[in-house]
Amino acid sequence: MRYTALLLNSMASTTTNWNKLSRAWVNDFALPSTSKSPSPQLSKSSLQTAIQRTLPLLNEDPITSVPFICRYRTDVIHPLSTKQVFQLSDYIQKYQSLSTLRNKILQCLASSSNNNQRLQQNNETTVLRVETSISKSELDDIYAPFKPPAKGTLEERIKTECPELVVQIDGLWSRRDNNNNDDGVDDYDYQQLKKMLKIYHDKAVILLANRIAGDANVIDAIMDQRKYCRVQVKQSTGGGGSRGSAKASSTKGKSASRKSASSAATTTTSTSTYHDYNNKISNIQDHQVLAIRRGVDQKALKLTFELNDDHVKRTALQALHASSNNNTNNNHAFVSKLYRDALEDAWTRLLRKRCTSRLWKEKCQHAELRAIEVFCENLNKALLAPPAAEMIGGDSNKALLALDPGFKAGIKAAILSSEGKTLVLETIKFLGGATEREEGKRKLSSLLERVQQINNNGSGGSSNDGNDICVVLGNGHGTREARQLLKNVTSQNSALTVDIHLVSEAGASVWSVTEAASDEFPKETPASIAAVSIGRRYLNPLAELVKVPPKSLGLGMYQHDLSEKVLDDKLTLTSIDCVAEVGVDVNSCSLAILQKVPSLTKTLAQKVFNARPLKSRKDLLRVKGLGDKTYENAAAFIRVAGGVEPLDNTMVHPESYDLARWLLKELQWELNDATSAEKDRDSKDEVLRAAAKKAAKKCTVSEDRAHSVIEHLFFSITSPDPRTRKNSGVASTSRPSDIGSAAGCAALSSGISTADKLRDFLPHRNIIGTVRNVVDFGAFIDFGLENDGLLHRSKLGPVNLGSLLVGQDIGVDILGVSKDNKISLGLAGLNFPVDDADAKKRSLSSANGKRGDGPVSKKKRRK
C-alpha cells in the first residue's frame, strides 16, 4: 500500500522535485576546475545545492534564459560553470521530452504493485529511476515487461495456438517474484507444465525468453559488460560507394558506372584506415566512431561485435536469480533447464543484437554530441575573434581592399571603410592573353592606389602613414593566383606595400543571395558582393558571421552525419551566447545581430528594429509583445549609447542600477574615465571585496551579487568589448623565434602548386598558415594548397590545442604527404623530422640533384 501511494503521489504531483533531480544528476557534472575545496564530499554537496537552485530558473525557458542566468544570477549558480549550466539546460529539455513515457510507466507500476512483491521491495529505487531518468533507453527497459507484444510476433501466434501454455509460463514467471504461492498466483502447476513441455518445449522457451529479455535487471547486468565488448571492422566485400550508386539506367550505364567507380574509389581511400580494425568499444575515439559509421552507411565497411558470450550469459543468469528471490530453480530440474534454455534463446535471438546495437548507438550519440560540441567551440572562437579595425591603424578613416578570388569570373574586389561601409565594387579579370593580364594588373594597381589615397587623406595627407595597405583575401580557389597577382603589382610599384590577411570565405556566397544583401546592393549580382562579406569578417567577425547560417562556415567535422535539428539548435544557442557576451548597440546594429539577442524572437527583434531610435532600455517595454520576462532576459545585452541613462551603455542589468550607482560613488569611479577604475586593478581583490561587503549590507543583496555588479562596472569602464580581453592563443608573434609564430615565416612558394610537387621539398619549414578548423585530434591549417594540412596534436609541442583560434595565422613546417595527398604539419620552431617514408626518399633524391625542375602544372579548381 505504501508503494502504491508513493506512485500515485508521484503521478499527481504538479511540481518537479528539484531535490530528487539534483541528487540523481550531480554525478554527471564534473567539479569545476577552479574548485579548491579540501573536501570532495563538500564540493559535491555544494554542486548538488547549486544544481537544485539553478533548475527552477531553467525550467520556464531552458534555452534563451541561459545567457541571462550565467551572467546575472552568478550568486545562484555558483560554483557551476557556464558550460555546466548549458549541460543542465540540455538535461531539463531531455527530461521534459520524456514526461509522457514517464507517466505511462508510473501508471503501469502502480497497477501492478499489489501483485508484485519484487517491485514493492525495490520501490524507491524503481520510482526514483523513472522520475529522474533522461534516457529513453533506460525508461524503455523499465517499461518492457508491461509492453504488450506486437501483432504477428511468435508470442502472438503461440497465444493463439497454445493459450494454456501461455498461462503456465506467466504463472511460472510471476511465481519467481514471490517467496510463496499465496498471493493469488494459482495458475502455475508444476506437473501440468512438465507435461506440456514434452509437447511444446520450443514454444515454452520462446515465451520465457521473451520475458527474460524484457527484465530490466537482466538488461542492466548485460549492459554493465560493455567494457568487455570489442568492435571488429573489415572492408565490405559488397564494394564501397554511396547508397544508390549500384544501379544505373541503361541509357546512362557507362556514365553511371564511371561515377560509381569514382565514388567507390573515394570511399575506399577515406575508409582505408579501418579496413582491418579491432578495438575495445570503450577505447574508440569519437572521430573514429563517426568515420566508421559513415563507412558502414556507405557499405564500404562491415561492423561486427565481439563478446564473451558465456561470461555474459552467466552474468545475466546471476542477475535473473538475484531479481527473483532465487526461485528460478525451486528444486525442479526441468524448470532449471527451461530457464537455461530460455536464457540461451533470449541472448542469441533477442538480447545480443539489441545490446550491441544499443552500445553502438550510445557510442554514436556520444560521438555526435562531442562533434557538435567541437563545432560550437570553433564557432564561439570565430564569433568572438577581436575586431580588426585596430589592426589597420585604429583610424576610422582607414580603408582596406577585400578580394574574393576567382578564375573565369574574375576576382571580386571591394574597398571598405573601417566601419564596413562599401566605397568601391570592382571585378578584376586576369585570365587570357598578355593583354588581359596586364589589364587585370592595371585595375588591381588602381584599386590599391585608391585605398592608399583614402588612407593618406584620413591621416592628414602624410604619405608615410598610408603606404601599408591592408588587403583581405578570401581563402577559396584561386587564392594563390590572386596572391601572385598582388606580388606582381607591388613589385612593379615600390610605393605600394601590402599587408595580406587570409580570411575564410565559407558562407560568403550564402550571405550574398540573402534578402538583406539584395537590399543593400540592389544593382549588384550576388557574385560581385561576396568580397564585401569577406572584408567585413576581418573588420568585425561577430557582426558579419551572425548573418550566415553557422553550418555554412565550415567549422566542424562530419556535420552532414549529425542530427540536423540538434546541430542547428546548438549552433543557434552558441551564436546567441556570443552576442550576449559582447552586447549590441540597439540603435546602430543590424537586424541579423539583433535577432540573436537572448529571448528576442525574429518578430520581436523586427519590432525593436522598427522602434529605433531608443532613448533608454526602458523604451523596450513600449514594444508591443515584449513583456517583463523577455525584458529581464534581454535588456542587459542591449546597449543604448548616448541615452538618458548612462548605465544603459554598460553590462549592468537594469535591476541593479541603484546598487551600481551606490558602488560608483563608493569606489569613486566614472563611467567615461577608464583611469578611475584602473587605479583599483592591482588592489581590486581587497578594495573591491570590502566594497562588495559594504554594498551587500547597504542594498540588502548578497555579496556575490554585489561583486558581480562591480565586475560588470569595472569591465564596462576599462574594456567594454570583451573580445579585446581574449587571450591571443599561440605564442606571441613579436619574436621570430617563438614556437608557432607567424613572424619570420613566409607564404608557400608559387612554384609549389600541387601535393605531388610538394613532396620534392620535404621538410618545408617556416610557412605561414591559417587555422581553419580545430578538432579533438588537431587542427586543419590552410597554407596555400588546395587541401588543408593536418597539424596533429602530437606536433604542437608545448602549445595547447585549445589555444588555437580559428582564423589565426601561425607558422608551420610541412612534414609529409601521404599517397592519397593527406598533408601532415608541425609547428614551426619545433623541427620535427619528415613523417612520410616515401617523402624521405624524395627529399634525399632532391638533395642529390635528382629532382625534376620542369614547369609546375596547376590543378583545375572549381569556383
Side-chain angles (χ1 to χ4, degrees):
M1 294 298 294
R2 177 179 174 271
Y3 178 51
T4 304
L6 181 66
L7 289 169
L8 292 175
N9 289 337
S10 178
M11 290 185 288
S13 177
T14 57
T15 59
T16 306
N17 191 321
W18 307 120
N19 183 40
K20 281 185 179 180
L21 293 182
S22 63
R23 281 191 284 113
W25 295 352
V26 67
N27 290 329
D28 294 343
F29 289 78
L31 294 173
S33 58
T34 56
S35 178
K36 297 181 180 179
S37 173
S39 171
Q41 289 191 352
L42 180 62
S43 297
K44 183 176 178 180
S45 174
S46 63
L47 200 61
Q48 179 188 329
T49 304
I51 292 173
Q52 185 175 343
R53 292 194 306 258
T54 306
L55 283 173
L57 299 179
L58 293 168
N59 186 47
E60 295 182 10
D61 190 354
I63 299 178
T64 58
S65 60
V66 173
F68 167 75
I69 292 171
C70 290
R71 291 165 179 82
Y72 299 102
R73 293 294 181 265
T74 53
D75 54 330
V76 176
I77 68 173
H78 181 78
L80 292 175
S81 65
T82 298
K83 186 176 181 179
Q84 288 172 325
V85 176
F86 276 107
Q87 181 182 350
L88 202 56
S89 171
D90 290 339
Y91 274 40
I92 280 285
Q93 293 178 72
K94 292 177 182 177
Y95 180 80
Q96 292 173 344
S97 68
L98 295 172
S99 58
T100 301
L101 177 59
R102 182 177 295 105
N103 290 332
K104 184 187 295 186
I105 294 173
L106 289 173
Q107 289 174 359
C108 291
L109 290 173
S111 63
S112 63
S113 61
N114 291 331
N115 297 324
N116 198 319
Q117 183 178 349
R118 177 170 56 91
L119 284 177
Q120 291 178 19
Q121 293 174 346
N122 298 285
N123 53 8
E124 293 184 4
T125 303
T126 305
V127 173
L128 185 62
R129 285 179 64 188
V130 174
E131 287 183 329
T132 61
S133 176
I134 59 171
S135 168
K136 187 175 183 301
S137 297
E138 182 180 21
L139 292 181
D140 284 339
D141 290 343
I142 298 175
Y143 181 55
F146 308 103
K147 190 175 181 180
K151 293 183 179 180
T153 60
L154 286 173
E155 180 160 345
E156 190 70 17
R157 294 205 301 269
I158 294 173
K159 280 187 175 182
T160 303
E161 298 170 1
C162 311
E164 285 299 322
L165 178 63
V166 175
V167 172
Q168 290 296 323
I169 295 298
D170 283 341
L172 176 64
W173 185 253
S174 299
R175 188 180 180 84
R176 63 186 277 277
D177 299 322
N178 299 276
N179 288 317
N180 300 297
N181 191 21
D182 57 1
D183 292 328
V185 183
D186 54 5
D187 295 326
Y188 171 56
D189 186 301
Y190 281 119
Q191 296 302 325
Q192 180 69 15
L193 177 61
K194 189 173 183 180
K195 292 179 182 179
M196 297 184 74
L197 286 178
K198 294 180 180 179
I199 305 173
Y200 304 114
H201 178 270
D202 291 346
K203 294 180 179 179
V205 168
I206 291 173
L207 291 174
L208 189 56
N210 288 350
R211 282 144 185 78
I212 293 174
D215 188 89
N217 293 300
V218 172
I219 294 175
D220 287 344
I222 292 176
M223 294 303 292
D224 284 341
Q225 304 302 307
R226 69 181 68 196
K227 58 186 176 182
Y228 301 113
C229 179
R230 297 187 69 88
V231 168
Q232 176 76 36
V233 184
K234 295 283 187 181
Q235 184 178 8
S236 176
T237 56
S242 302
R243 292 178 177 177
S245 64
K247 295 183 180 180
S249 63
S250 58
T251 58
K252 299 181 180 179
K254 293 182 179 180
S255 175
S257 297
R258 284 194 297 268
K259 290 181 180 178
S260 179
S262 175
S263 175
T266 302
T267 303
T268 300
T269 300
S270 62
T271 60
S272 59
T273 305
Y274 305 101
H275 283 177
D276 188 13
Y277 181 83
N278 188 302
N279 201 352
K280 282 187 177 181
I281 194 169
S282 57
N283 293 341
I284 305 177
Q285 301 297 314
D286 292 327
H287 64 275
Q288 295 175 318
V289 171
L290 296 176
I292 293 171
R293 187 178 68 172
R294 175 181 287 185
V296 172
D297 288 343
Q298 294 174 339
K299 300 182 180 179
L301 298 175
K302 183 178 180 181
L303 179 67
T304 56
F305 300 92
E306 298 177 358
L307 278 167
N308 186 332
D309 289 15
D310 292 337
H311 177 73
V312 174
K313 284 184 286 188
R314 284 196 300 271
T315 302
L317 186 61
Q318 291 172 1
L320 192 62
H321 286 178
S323 64
S324 61
N325 296 317
N326 292 318
N327 287 333
T328 55
N329 284 325
N330 287 298
N331 299 320
H332 291 274
F334 76 93
V335 173
S336 298
K337 183 179 185 305
L338 176 62
Y339 265 101
R340 288 194 299 271
D341 293 344
L343 182 59
E344 176 71 26
D345 180 61
W347 172 245
T348 56
R349 180 170 58 90
L350 300 170
L351 289 176
R352 194 183 201 283
K353 183 176 180 180
R354 184 195 305 175
C355 292
T356 53
S357 297
R358 177 172 161 185
L359 278 175
W360 183 245
K361 181 181 178 181
E362 290 179 353
K363 192 70 177 177
C364 290
Q365 288 175 340
H366 183 276
E368 281 192 20
L369 291 176
R370 178 54 192 161
I372 292 173
E373 184 180 356
V374 171
F375 202 140
C376 291
E377 289 173 357
N378 288 337
L379 178 62
N380 180 277
K381 291 178 180 180
L383 293 179
L384 294 182
E390 300 171 356
M391 300 182 189
I392 59 175
D395 192 326
S396 61
N397 293 320
K398 290 286 185 180
L400 60 81
L401 177 63
L403 300 177
D404 179 20
F407 289 103
K408 187 175 180 180
I411 300 172
K412 308 303 179 182
I415 298 178
L416 304 178
S417 70
S418 60
E419 294 88 3
K421 182 180 179 181
T422 305
L423 305 178
V424 177
L425 281 176
E426 277 285 2
T427 299
I428 304 170
K429 294 192 175 182
F430 62 97
L431 293 183
T435 303
E436 288 80 2
R437 187 166 185 81
E438 286 302 318
E439 175 61 22
K441 289 163 64 177
R442 185 199 63 77
K443 185 173 286 189
L444 178 57
S445 179
S446 175
L447 289 171
L448 291 172
E449 290 172 354
R450 180 78 176 272
V451 175
Q452 188 180 65
Q453 183 181 4
I454 294 172
N455 292 343
N456 287 341
N457 292 338
S459 59
S462 173
S463 60
N464 290 334
D465 293 335
N467 277 344
D468 197 16
I469 303 169
C470 178
V471 177
V472 180
L473 184 60
N475 73 326
H477 301 303
T479 298
R480 290 169 56 82
E481 289 73 15
R483 189 190 287 270
Q484 184 61 40
L485 192 64
L486 281 165
K487 183 178 180 180
N488 293 340
V489 169
T490 55
S491 64
Q492 294 175 4
N493 187 347
S494 59
L496 298 175
T497 58
V498 297
D499 183 16
I500 301 176
H501 297 271
L502 212 60
V503 172
S504 173
E505 65 175 23
S509 58
V510 177
W511 170 81
S512 65
V513 297
T514 61
E515 185 178 350
S518 178
D519 291 342
E520 186 175 355
F521 304 98
K523 298 181 180 180
E524 303 291 341
T525 62
S528 64
I529 59 178
V532 176
S533 177
I534 292 173
R536 288 176 176 173
R537 291 179 186 195
Y538 175 74
L539 289 170
N540 193 338
L542 177 63
E544 190 62 24
L545 293 179
V546 292
K547 301 176 183 178
V548 182
K551 289 194 297 185
S552 301
L553 296 177
L555 297 173
M557 289 191 67
Y558 299 99
Q559 69 182 63
H560 298 295
D561 300 321
L562 307 178
S563 168
E564 188 172 352
K565 183 180 183 305
V566 175
L567 180 61
D568 283 340
D569 290 345
K570 292 289 186 181
L571 294 177
T572 298
L573 185 55
T574 300
S575 300
I576 290 173
D577 190 62
C578 289
V579 170
E581 179 74 10
V582 177
V584 300
D585 187 335
V586 69
N587 290 325
S588 63
C589 70
S590 67
L591 177 60
I593 198 169
L594 193 60
Q595 290 172 342
K596 294 295 192 296
V597 172
S599 290
L600 286 191
T601 62
K602 289 186 177 180
T603 302
L604 279 179
Q606 184 67 62
K607 289 180 179 179
V608 173
F609 190 82
N610 295 338
R612 301 193 305 186
L614 303 183
K615 296 182 179 179
S616 70
R617 282 172 171 166
K618 288 183 179 179
D619 289 348
L620 291 169
L621 292 171
R622 299 178 184 175
V623 176
K624 187 176 180 180
L626 199 154
D628 292 339
K629 187 64 178 177
T630 303
Y631 177 79
E632 179 186 57
N633 283 339
F637 308 119
I638 291 177
R639 312 283 194 265
V640 182
V644 295
E645 171 56 68
L647 289 171
D648 283 345
N649 197 30
T650 68
M651 299 167 60
V652 180
H653 196 282
E655 67 184 8
S656 301
Y657 277 2
D658 290 339
L659 174 60
R661 293 188 187 99
W662 186 91
L663 285 168
L664 286 172
K665 185 177 180 180
E666 175 71 15
L667 295 168
Q668 297 181 359
W669 289 355
E670 297 290 340
L671 289 177
N672 56 356
D673 183 6
T675 58
S676 64
E678 287 284 0
K679 62 181 174 60
D680 292 325
R681 180 183 294 273
D682 295 335
S683 60
K684 69 177 183 178
D685 283 345
E686 51 189 68
V687 173
L688 302 187
R689 192 181 297 112
K693 189 173 183 179
K694 190 173 180 180
K697 294 180 180 178
K698 182 74 175 180
C699 302
T700 62
V701 296
S702 67
E703 287 190 33
D704 288 338
R705 179 68 61 86
H707 187 72
S708 174
V709 174
I710 291 175
E711 281 192 347
H712 292 154
L713 283 172
F714 181 83
F715 288 123
S716 295
I717 295 172
T718 59
S719 51
D721 193 338
R723 292 172 292 180
T724 62
R725 302 195 296 264
K726 294 285 182 181
N727 191 338
S728 60
V730 160
S732 169
T733 59
S734 61
R735 291 177 294 155
S737 60
D738 282 344
I739 295 173
S741 169
C745 295
L748 187 68
S749 171
S750 60
I752 305 175
S753 58
T754 65
D756 287 337
K757 193 67 176 177
L758 183 60
R759 287 191 179 94
D760 296 335
F761 294 90
L762 298 180
H764 205 42
R765 303 195 184 277
N766 300 322
I767 302 299
I768 294 178
T770 304
V771 179
R772 288 289 151 241
N773 209 351
V774 181
V775 292
D776 285 339
F777 53 86
F780 288 95
I781 311 297
D782 178 6
F783 60 93
L785 284 189
E786 187 173 9
N787 296 329
D788 293 341
L790 173 62
L791 177 60
H792 195 268
R793 60 187 176 190
S794 62
K795 297 294 192 295
L796 288 172
V799 176
N800 183 6
L801 177 63
S803 68
L804 295 179
L805 306 179
V806 173
Q808 177 184 10
D809 288 340
I810 62 173
V812 296
D813 294 338
I814 304 173
L815 303 177
V817 182
S818 67
K819 292 181 180 179
D820 53 352
N821 291 336
K822 292 181 180 179
I823 301 168
S824 59
L825 309 173
L827 271 187
L830 294 175
N831 295 321
F832 283 105
V834 174
D835 277 352
D836 192 0
D838 182 56
K840 290 181 181 179
K841 294 179 182 178
R842 291 175 176 266
S843 181
L844 290 174
S845 63
S846 172
N848 294 328
K850 298 180 182 179
R851 173 177 54 85
D853 294 318
V856 177
S857 60
K858 299 182 179 179
K859 271 188 180 178
K860 184 178 179 181
R861 300 179 182 181
R862 292 172 293 176
K863 176 63 181 168

